Amino acid sequence: MRRPARTSPENRRKRTAAPPPAKRLRSMADVMSEAKRVDPVEDDVESESEELKCEQCELGDNESDLVLCDGCDKGFHLFCLRPILFRVPTGRWFCPSCTASRPLKRFPLTQTKILDFFRIQKSSNLKVEKKSVPQEDGKRKKRRRLGMQKKRRRILPYTATEDPSRRLEQMASVATALTSQRMEFVNELVYVPGMAPRYKNRAALEKGGMQVLSKEDKETLELCQEMYKSGECPPLMVVFDSCEGFTVHADGFIKDLTLITEYTGDVDYLTNREEDDCDSMMTLLLGADPKNSLVICPDKRGNIARFISGINNHTPEGKKKQNLKCVRYNVDGECHALLIACRDIYPGERLYYDYNGYEHAYPTEHFV
C-alpha cells in the first residue's frame, strides 16, 4: 500500500478562520428610550438674548447701545451709565460695580511736584504783562460810514487768579484728573512717530477753507502760552461729578471772548481712529480728501480741554448751557482748535461747549 507523500510545513494549506458571529444592531427606538433629554441649543440662545437687559433701566431695547461687562456679564446701555460711555469699547470693559469705585487719588498739593508735572519754569518769577487793546478816538468813529462802524472783536487773554496758593489748588485739580486717566500734560499739539507728521497739518487742505487767526489774536494765544509756562493758569477748577465724570468749573469771573485754552493732544489721521473708543477726539482738519483729515487724540497726552463738558445739542435746555465755543483757526498755515468764551462766565459755573458741533455728526443726544 502506497503511503501519501509528505508535504513540508510551508506547502501545507492554512485553514481559514471562521467569521465572528454577526452583531445584533440596536433599533432607533431602543437608543432613544435610553437617551437623556437635552433642550435644543437654539432655545438657549434665544432665551439669553431675551434676558439681556440694561441693569439701570431694565429694558432690552437699543441693542446696538448695550455693552456687556467682562466681569459680571451684565448689560448696560451706554447712555444709562454714569459717567456715560460715548461708544462701545473695543477692548475689555468692566462696569462701575466691578471696578469697585476706588477713591480718587489726589495729586499732592506741593509746589515742587506741580512745577515738575506742568514743566513750569522754576527760575522764572516773570509776571507777564498784558497788552492793552488800543481804543479809537470817538470823533474818528463818527466820520466813518455806517457799514464801517462795526469793528471786529478781539480775543482776550485770560486773567489768572492773583492768589498763588489758589492757583496751586487749580493746577493740582488738573493734575489729579490727568493722572487718574494716566495722561501726560502737554499744552501744544504733539506729533508722534507712526501717526500724522507735522507737515500734514496744513490749513490749505481744509474743505471750504479755514479762517485765519489775526496778528493781534495770535499775540493773545502766544501770551496765554507764556503765562502758563510761568505758572499763571486760567481761573478754572476740575471737579469730579458722579454723573458726568470730570468737569471744569470757573474759579473766577471770565469775560466774553476770553481765550480759555487750546485743545491739545496727539495728532493722527482720522482714518486711523475710526474704530477708536477715545471719547474726546477733536476734529483738527476736515480735508476735501478724507485721507487728509486729522484729529486731536487726548488719550495719552492733553490738557484741561480734555475735561470740559459737551452739551446735548438736540435739546433747547442743552443749548442754553453753552458758554464756550470751539473754533478752528489757521495759525501760520497750521490748524489749531481754540476754546473761547462766548458769553460772560461767573464763578462756580460749569463750562460747556458744542463738541464737534460744526460737523453735526457726533451723537450728543444722550449727553446730560
Side-chain angles (χ1 to χ4, degrees), residues 18-29:
K23 292 183 179 180
R24 180 177 177 272
L25 298 177
R26 302 176 65 191
S27 66
M28 183 59 69

Side-chain angles (χ1 to χ4, degrees), residues 39-47:
D39 294 331
V41 177
E42 292 78 12
D43 293 343
D44 288 342
V45 175
E46 291 177 2
S47 61

Side-chain angles (χ1 to χ4, degrees), residues 313-330:
N313 55 21
H314 292 260
T315 63
E317 293 76 13
K319 294 179 180 179
K320 289 178 181 179
K321 293 181 179 180
Q322 183 175 358
N323 47 24
L324 299 181
K325 59 181 178 180
C326 183
V327 188
R328 294 182 297 124
Y329 284 103
N330 177 346

Side-chain angles (χ1 to χ4, degrees), residues 244 246-248 307-311 350-354 367:
E244 297 187 46
F246 287 105
T247 60
V248 180
F307 306 106
I308 297 178
S309 305
I311 64 168
R350 183 177 296 181
L351 271 55
Y352 289 96
Y353 72 109
D354 196 355
F367 280 21

Side-chain angles (χ1 to χ4, degrees), residues 196-235:
R198 184 165 186 170
Y199 71 85
K200 288 293 186 178
N201 183 5
R202 291 186 291 159
L205 299 176
E206 174 74 13
K207 183 179 180 180
M210 182 178 293
Q211 58 181 318
V212 179
L213 191 68
S214 67
K215 179 182 177 181
E216 295 81 6
D217 292 341
K218 180 187 173 186
E219 292 176 352
T220 299
L221 175 60
E222 293 172 347
L223 173 63
C224 292
Q225 291 172 342
E226 290 300 319
M227 290 170 63
Y228 216 117
K229 289 179 182 178
S230 64
E232 294 185 71
C233 60

Side-chain angles (χ1 to χ4, degrees), residues 158-199:
Y158 62 78
T159 303
T161 304
E162 294 184 0
D163 184 5
S165 61
R166 187 59 178 175
R167 287 206 306 267
L168 206 64
E169 294 179 19
Q170 294 166 355
M171 301 187 82
S173 71
V174 179
T176 296
L178 290 171
T179 53
S180 70
Q181 303 296 314
R182 297 181 178 85
M183 291 175 58
E184 174 188 349
F185 171 78
V186 292
N187 212 28
E188 58 188 6
L189 297 177
V190 181
Y191 300 90
V192 180
M195 298 186 187
R198 184 165 186 170
Y199 71 85

